[in-house]
Structures are given as C-alpha cells and as structure tokens.
Amino acid sequence: IRDSLSSVSLRGAALSGCKLVRSNLSASDLSDVSLAKCNLKQVELVGTKFHRTTMADTDFSKARVENSDWRGARFKVACNFSDTAIRHRISLAELKAGGLVQGMNTMGYSCSEAKAAGYSVQEAKAAGYSCSEAKAAGYSLHSLKEIKAAGFWCSEAKAEGYKPFECRKAGYSY
C-alpha cells in the first residue's frame, strides 16, 4: 500500500505481515495495536499515536517519526529504527521499559548510553555491542569469566588479549 491513511484510527487492530512502504499514517491513532513482521519503511508517522502498541520484528527504517507519541510502546522482538529520529521521540530508558534490546545500536545509541539506561551487559551484547565497547562503557568485564558469562565469544576474549589457555580455563572450547 502506498496510499494516504492519515488521520485514520486503527486502535486495537492486529496487523501482521503488512507492507505500508512509503505510506502516510500521519496523525493516525495506532494505540493498542499489535504490529508483527510489518514493513513500514519510509512511512510518514508525523504526529502518530503509538500508545501501548506492541511491536515485533517491524521495520521502521527511514520513517518520519516527528511529534509521534510512543508512551507505553512495547517491543517484543527486534524492530529496525535505522535512519529515523526515534531517539528524539522516546528515551532509551523508555525503550528499555518497553522491552527493546536488539536494534538500539542501529538507532545511534552508544553502549555507554545503554548502560546509563539500565541495560545489562548481556542485553548490550544482544544489542550488538562488542566486548571492547562494553568494557569502554564501564561494564564489569574484568575477568574472562565475566566476559564468558555475558555471552561474548572466545574470539572476542582473544581480541581483548586473553591467551588460549586462559580461555580454556574459563570454559571456552577451541
């Protein structure tokens, strides 16, 4: 669909697999909507309400999100917000409260910002930050056991200077 759906109310709808690429949903009400595996690339979402909307595996890349309201939005599976101004609409702490982990690094948030918003080192790893980024952000990765417990690969531990015998001792296999 490449039509104008501006000012439409989809409150409470369940949309799965929808393709709304380059559509206009500005000033629409998407409150309490369930979005699953939807393609919303380059969609106009100016002034759109997303109150308590649940999103899973939805692509918002290059969407215009100015003045949209994301209060209570929930993120169940990775959503793509690359090349959007989402960080000006919703704080990283609100994204965390909504359950967003994967994809926050593609939105331009640093690992330090993730730590400040309360993300665990395991969540930072799941979001795609490297072991060295996590260490630089101040996560406690002072031992190889902490690095392994966070879910980082042996190759990442080696890149941090740990030797093969140290990796084996920490439980990595070669």
Side-chain angles (χ1 to χ4, degrees), residues 96-116:
K96 178 171 177 30
L100 184 73
V101 175
Q102 295 175 328
M104 69 179 151
N105 61 340
T106 64
M107 291 185 274
Y109 291 105
S110 70
C111 194
S112 295
E113 289 174 301
K115 184 177 188 308

Side-chain angles (χ1 to χ4, degrees), residues 4 11 14-15 26 30-31 33 42 50 53 57 71 89 91 96 100 112 116-117 120 125 129 161 163 168 174:
S4 177
R11 183 181 284 270
L15 303 173
S26 292
L30 299 178
S31 298
V33 168
Q42 299 176 336
F50 289 94
T53 297
D57 197 22
R71 284 180 283 174
R89 305 277 27 107
S91 73
K96 178 171 177 30
L100 184 73
S112 295
S120 70
K125 162 72 169 113
Y129 296 108
K163 306 289 183 223
R168 276 192 298 278
Y174 262 74

Side-chain angles (χ1 to χ4, degrees), residues 119-149:
Y119 283 91
S120 70
V121 68
Q122 290 83 1
E123 290 170 322
K125 162 72 169 113
Y129 296 108
S130 70
C131 184
S132 58
E133 287 173 308
K135 282 179 75 173
Y139 284 106
S140 177
L141 294 173
H142 302 294
S143 75
L144 195 51
K145 288 189 188 239
E146 290 173 321
I147 291 171
K148 184 170 182 355

Side-chain angles (χ1 to χ4, degrees), residues 154 158 162-165 167-168 172-174:
C154 181
K158 284 175 31 182
Y162 289 98
K163 306 289 183 223
F165 77 91
C167 292
R168 276 192 298 278
Y172 286 110
S173 58
Y174 262 74

Side-chain angles (χ1 to χ4, degrees), residues 20-172:
L20 299 170
V21 177
R22 293 188 290 279
S23 294
N24 184 353
L25 288 166
S26 292
S28 293
D29 187 356
L30 299 178
S31 298
D32 301 305
V33 168
S34 173
L35 295 171
K37 298 185 180 198
C38 292
N39 185 340
L40 300 173
K41 288 181 183 175
Q42 299 176 336
V43 171
E44 296 284 327
L45 298 169
V46 178
T48 302
K49 292 180 187 173
F50 289 94
H51 299 179
R52 300 167 308 281
T53 297
T54 301
M55 291 158 264
D57 197 22
T58 296
D59 188 351
F60 290 94
S61 60
K62 298 183 181 177
R64 287 194 56 215
V65 296
E66 290 82 6
N67 299 317
S68 54
D69 188 345
W70 299 79
R71 284 180 283 174
R74 307 289 299 164
F75 305 92
K76 298 297 180 186
V77 182
C79 292
N80 182 0
F81 286 99
S82 61
D83 298 319
T84 69
I86 192 73
R87 66 181 290 138
H88 302 293
R89 305 277 27 107
I90 186 170
S91 73
L92 193 51
E94 290 171 301
L95 288 170
K96 178 171 177 30
L100 184 73
V101 175
Q102 295 175 328
M104 69 179 151
N105 61 340
T106 64
M107 291 185 274
Y109 291 105
S110 70
C111 194
S112 295
E113 289 174 301
K115 184 177 188 308
Y119 283 91
S120 70
V121 68
Q122 290 83 1
E123 290 170 322
K125 162 72 169 113
Y129 296 108
S130 70
C131 184
S132 58
E133 287 173 308
K135 282 179 75 173
Y139 284 106
S140 177
L141 294 173
H142 302 294
S143 75
L144 195 51
K145 288 189 188 239
E146 290 173 321
I147 291 171
K148 184 170 182 355
F152 291 103
W153 295 93
C154 181
S155 58
E156 293 174 287
K158 284 175 31 182
E160 290 299 312
Y162 289 98
K163 306 289 183 223
F165 77 91
E166 293 172 305
C167 292
R168 276 192 298 278
K169 186 176 177 183
Y172 286 110

